[in-house]
Amino acid sequence: MSHRYFRDVLPSGLRVVTVEAPHLRAAMVAAYVRVGSRHETPATSGVSHYLEHMFFRGSARYPDTVEMNARVEDAGGNLNGITTRDHGYYFTPVHPDQVGVGLDVLGDMLTRPRLRHLETERRIILEEMLDEVDERGRDIDLDNLSKRRLFAGHPLALKIAGTPETVRALGRRQLVDHFEENYVAGNLVVAVAGRVRRGEVVERTARAFRALPRGPATTEAPPPPSPSGPWLEHVDHGESQTEFRLSFRTVPERHPDAPVVQVLRRVLDDGLSSRLPYQVVERRGLAYSVHASLEFYDDVGLFEVDAASAPKSSAEVFDEVCRTLGGLCDRVVSGAELARAKRRHRMFLEFSEDSA
């Protein structure tokens, strides 16, 4: 074993995960918070993503974005943040000798943000959202369209960035309320991996996040049962390619069948010799790419297949994808094919030990 991992809980309730990996030349510092678009309402849609942007506008110790980023970059890092539907995370690689710097900056920005320049950041977010719509303002993002249909009436259907209307309506009060409710010790996990020592990580984390208030973990309402279907969501627009996604509800991440679904995905899409790329791309030349993917939440999972092709080929691509998926029902996966998928998956897990 090339690494050892530890889980500690500080007196405040903040959880700290340390992965000691002495063979690595880099370290990674990250803070995860259990809040995303599924913890919003239609009126506050986009507030988690907006707040993520605001953290990078400066904190009490690092009053502007230049000073904040320069401090991390001097430690070999690159500060970043991402909001998803069920959580957000903030991270930076750093030199192993500079882990304290990464923790200090993340701790200050997530506990003492200045929340300034709201209008500037609002304009940036509205520009960012243009990637999801066509020239008429209609949503063409496959992820948004599929979630809206799969989870209609539930917060998982909300767009991560919100809508232009909700983003324009959000004010400082909503940001502060969302921050105070969710950025509490019981709702965060700090993780550090690399050539680091557990004791130092725990000590530096406690110091960096000392201003983090106590509070419980966020809870969420479970999604409703799947609608009877199949359902079709279609947006006609003038792009040069037709994109489509097939989405299926599946087990959540802690379900005992989750590893089975992971191996099944590899049977379908794990290199050009696996079923979907071979049938659609290599054998018939119908599309440049086709992919199967998994998205796990705490209480539900999604198995999805995406493809893009010339409009004239889209019907054939769809037929071939469905025929390939149906083949899993018609005949048992061979022992050799199953062994290959499992072997590839184990290799992937081993490869991950080379990355902080």
Side-chain angles (χ1 to χ4, degrees):
M1 177 71 72
S2 57
H3 67 271
R4 298 191 304 164
Y5 70 89
F6 307 92
R7 297 170 177 169
D8 294 284
V9 181
L10 301 182
S12 66
L14 177 64
R15 289 157 290 176
V16 183
V17 176
T18 307
V19 183
E20 293 183 348
H23 64 289
L24 297 180
R25 301 294 183 92
M28 181 68 72
V29 179
Y32 296 81
V33 56
R34 189 178 179 130
V35 65
S37 56
R38 77 171 297 178
H39 304 102
E40 300 168 358
T41 68
T44 62
S45 179
V47 66
S48 300
H49 177 250
Y50 202 152
L51 190 56
E52 172 220 313
H53 276 242
M54 295 308 304
F55 285 131
F56 293 87
R57 283 282 169 182
S59 64
R61 187 174 179 183
Y62 307 99
D64 62 62
T65 184
V66 174
E67 184 174 348
M68 177 181 286
N69 282 279
R71 185 79 175 99
V72 172
E73 289 161 8
D74 286 347
N78 181 26
L79 200 58
N80 210 335
I82 295 175
T83 300
T84 74
R85 280 184 161 78
D86 65 344
H87 71 285
Y89 54 105
Y90 306 84
F91 61 97
T92 180
V94 289
H95 189 279
D97 295 338
Q98 301 295 319
V99 163
V101 173
L103 286 168
D104 287 345
V105 173
L106 284 179
D108 209 58
M109 66 184 279
L110 297 180
T111 61
R112 303 193 298 167
R114 301 186 78 183
L115 301 182
R116 299 175 60 199
H117 308 298
L118 264 68
E119 295 308 317
T120 301
E121 208 60 48
R122 193 191 313 273
R123 288 196 296 272
I124 292 172
I125 293 170
L126 290 171
E127 286 289 324
E128 181 183 355
M129 292 169 66
L130 294 177
D131 288 341
E132 300 178 346
V133 300
D134 64 7
E135 69 280 357
R136 293 162 57 184
R138 297 176 304 166
D139 203 328
I140 58 173
D141 182 82
L142 292 179
D143 196 56
N144 291 336
L145 295 173
S146 62
K147 299 297 192 302
R148 186 171 67 193
R149 176 65 73 179
L150 283 165
F151 302 114
H154 185 273
L156 277 172
L158 297 174
K159 296 171 62 171
I160 293 171
T163 68
E165 293 75 22
T166 60
V167 170
R168 291 189 182 101
L170 290 171
R172 181 181 174 83
R173 184 68 261 166
Q174 287 99 328
L175 293 176
V176 171
D177 288 347
H178 199 66
F179 169 70
E180 291 180 346
E181 179 181 358
N182 295 290
Y183 282 77
V184 295
N187 207 40
L188 268 77
V189 174
V190 173
V192 179
R195 199 175 71 230
V196 299
R197 295 186 300 275
R198 174 192 188 183
E200 181 185 1
V201 168
V202 173
E203 177 187 349
R204 293 302 298 258
T205 301
R207 191 186 316 166
F209 286 82
R210 61 187 178 276
L212 188 67
R214 293 175 181 269
T218 299
T219 58
E220 16 343 78
S226 298
S228 59
W231 286 89
L232 172 66
E233 184 87 16
H234 174 245
V235 179
D236 186 15
H237 63 98
E239 294 294 324
S240 58
Q241 284 193 314
T242 296
E243 299 176 287
F244 76 82
R245 169 178 291 184
L246 278 169
S247 298
F248 305 90
R249 292 272 288 266
T250 187
V251 297
E253 58 184 343
R254 291 187 180 90
H255 194 281
D257 284 345
V260 179
V261 182
Q262 290 176 313
V263 173
L264 179 62
R265 187 207 65 81
R266 287 187 177 274
V267 169
L268 288 168
D269 177 23
D270 189 25
L272 291 178
S273 62
S274 51
R275 293 191 181 192
L276 280 171
Y278 174 74
Q279 294 294 341
V280 177
V281 180
E282 295 299 301
R283 189 175 72 87
R284 299 194 58 190
L286 294 173
Y288 177 71
S289 64
V290 57
H291 297 290
S293 62
L294 284 168
E295 187 170 1
F296 285 128
Y297 301 110
D298 188 58
D299 48 12
V300 68
L302 294 174
F303 193 108
E304 299 178 312
V305 178
D306 291 72
S309 69
K312 65 180 181 180
S313 304
S314 59
E316 289 183 272
V317 175
F318 183 81
D319 285 345
E320 191 60 48
V321 167
C322 291
R323 189 176 297 112
T324 303
L325 294 176
L328 293 170
C329 303
D330 298 337
R331 56 187 181 275
V332 175
V333 174
S334 70
E337 192 175 17
L338 179 60
R340 177 182 182 275
K342 292 165 66 176
R343 185 170 60 251
R344 292 266 299 177
H345 193 63
R346 285 195 299 270
M347 289 178 181
F348 171 80
L349 295 175
E350 290 185 31
F351 292 165
S352 68
E353 292 189 28
D354 289 335
S355 170

